[in-house]
């Protein structure tokens, strides 16, 4: 059951990454230059209140964790992040194959 849930979440994230890639491609064609949505800009525009509260709570725990660590990670494109995490979850949900050899005595 957990394998099915992991694969479903992976497929949804992979689909979200593909949709983000299409949106970025459409915006790039319309603007005439490369336009990429970062995780930071996407999260702050979709969930502004939640983004601010997460930022405040992480800064209360450790200012170093927010400023150089998370802000650097959040500059990645949404399509790459979602697609990468989705592909990783799909790979982790695969069942290992049985060995092709048989032991004889």
């Amino acid at each position: 059951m957990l394998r099915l849930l992991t694969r479903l979440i992976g497929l949804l994230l992979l689909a979200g990454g593909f949709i983000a890639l299409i949106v970025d491609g459409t915006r790039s064609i319309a603007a005439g230059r490369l336009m990429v949505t970062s995780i930071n800009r996407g999260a702050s525009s979709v969930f502004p209140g939640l983004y601010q509260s997460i930022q405040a709570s992480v800064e209360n725990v450790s200012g170093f964790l927010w400023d150089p660590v998370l802000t650097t990670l959040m500059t990645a494109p949404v399509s790459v992040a979602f697609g990468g995490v989705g592909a990783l979850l799909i790979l982790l949900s695969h069942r290992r194959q049985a060995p092709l050899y048989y032991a004889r005595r």
Side-chain angles (χ1 to χ4, degrees), residues 15-28:
F18 186 69
I19 290 170
L21 184 67
I22 291 172
V23 168
D24 285 344
T26 305
R27 287 180 49 214
S28 296

Side-chain angles (χ1 to χ4, degrees), residues 16-92:
F18 186 69
I19 290 170
L21 184 67
I22 291 172
V23 168
D24 285 344
T26 305
R27 287 180 49 214
S28 296
I29 291 171
R33 62 184 178 93
L34 183 62
M35 305 265 311
V36 178
T37 304
S38 65
I39 298 171
N40 187 11
R41 189 171 32 170
S44 63
S45 66
V46 174
F47 305 112
L50 180 64
Y51 180 78
Q52 294 296 329
S53 66
I54 289 174
Q55 179 182 359
S57 63
V58 169
E59 283 179 344
N60 285 338
V61 171
S62 173
F64 176 77
L65 180 64
W66 178 258
D67 189 16
V69 177
L70 287 179
T71 54
T72 304
L73 289 175
M74 293 181 75
T75 59
V78 174
S79 58
V80 172
F82 279 9
V85 172
L88 182 67
L89 287 175
I90 290 171
L91 286 175
L92 289 175

